[in-house]
């Protein structure tokens, strides 16, 4: 638990996928686009980072940041985060649609009673806190939309990843062919 792909090394061929589920509700996928996933560089912290290229990742905190960025851009009207919206190079999607170049879908892994099933056996604090923040900010956003007659982007994340999910990346190319 707590691993990430860049902690490597990654031994797949160039352009082939690497998948990770870290045990803390985060999934990740990389395509080792440079083929140098076995090569590392030492960071200023002393840790090593392997050259796997872009790593796409999904968890409730990434989705919450992406949602907040989309809301800010919608209300500000000037799209200040277009160059680096939350989720670009991480969770595919956002208010601009699928920016990653492949499909990404999340579904509820455990059904509507997931919290009852996991409480006491698994740390659910991050899911509960993300849902609380989403609910508080979401209520204010809905109020402002009605008062100001705003139209927000149609494909804003809806809080659907604030529980354990099954994340599906793809289809993606393997050995140059789409699978």
């Amino acid at each position: 638990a707590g691993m990430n792909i860049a902690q490597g090394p990654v031994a797949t061929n160039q352009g082939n996928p690497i998948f990770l589920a870290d045990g803390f509700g985060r999934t990740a996928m990389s395509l080792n686009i440079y083929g140098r996933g076995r090569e590392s560089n030492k960071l200023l912290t002393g840790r090593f980072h392997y050259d796997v290229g872009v790593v796409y990742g999904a968890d409730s905190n990434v989705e919450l940041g992406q949602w907040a960025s989309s809301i800010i851009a919608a209300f500000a009207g000037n799209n200040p985060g277009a160059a680096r919206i939350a989720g670009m190079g991480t969770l595919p999607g956002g208010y601009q649609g699928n920016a990653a170049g492949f499909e990404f879908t999340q579904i509820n892994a455990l059904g509507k009673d997931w919290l009852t099933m996991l409480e006491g056996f698994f740390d659910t604090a991050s899911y509960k806190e993300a849902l609380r923040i989403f609910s508080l900010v979401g209520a204010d956003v809905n109020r402002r939309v009605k008062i100001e007659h705003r139209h927000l982007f149609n494909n804003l994340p809806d809080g659907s990843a604030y529980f354990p999910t099954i994340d599906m990346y793809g289809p993606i190319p393997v050995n140059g062919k789409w699978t």
Side-chain angles (χ1 to χ4, degrees), residues 18-126:
I18 304 106
F19 296 97
L20 174 75
D22 79 347
F24 284 123
R26 179 172 178 81
T27 64
M29 191 270 299
S30 176
L31 292 174
N32 194 21
I33 60 174
Y34 306 116
R36 296 192 303 256
R38 294 182 185 103
E39 300 172 20
S40 67
N41 291 298
K42 193 172 187 177
L43 302 175
L44 295 175
T45 61
R47 295 176 66 192
F48 286 90
H49 187 277
Y50 286 81
D51 189 8
V52 296
V54 174
V55 176
Y56 301 93
D59 63 41
S60 57
N61 290 331
V62 170
E63 181 169 339
L64 187 62
Q66 185 173 355
W67 177 77
S69 175
S70 299
I71 294 295
I72 291 166
F75 278 113
N78 59 6
N79 202 7
R84 180 66 173 106
I85 60 167
M88 182 70 73
T90 53
L91 179 67
Y95 67 88
Q96 294 179 328
N98 186 349
F102 58 85
E103 295 298 318
F104 175 79
T105 304
Q106 292 180 303
I107 62 170
N108 188 330
L110 302 173
K112 65 179 180 159
D113 295 327
W114 70 270
L115 186 57
T116 305
M117 292 169 53
L118 295 180
E119 200 73 63
F121 297 102
F122 185 78
D123 183 1
T124 59
S126 63

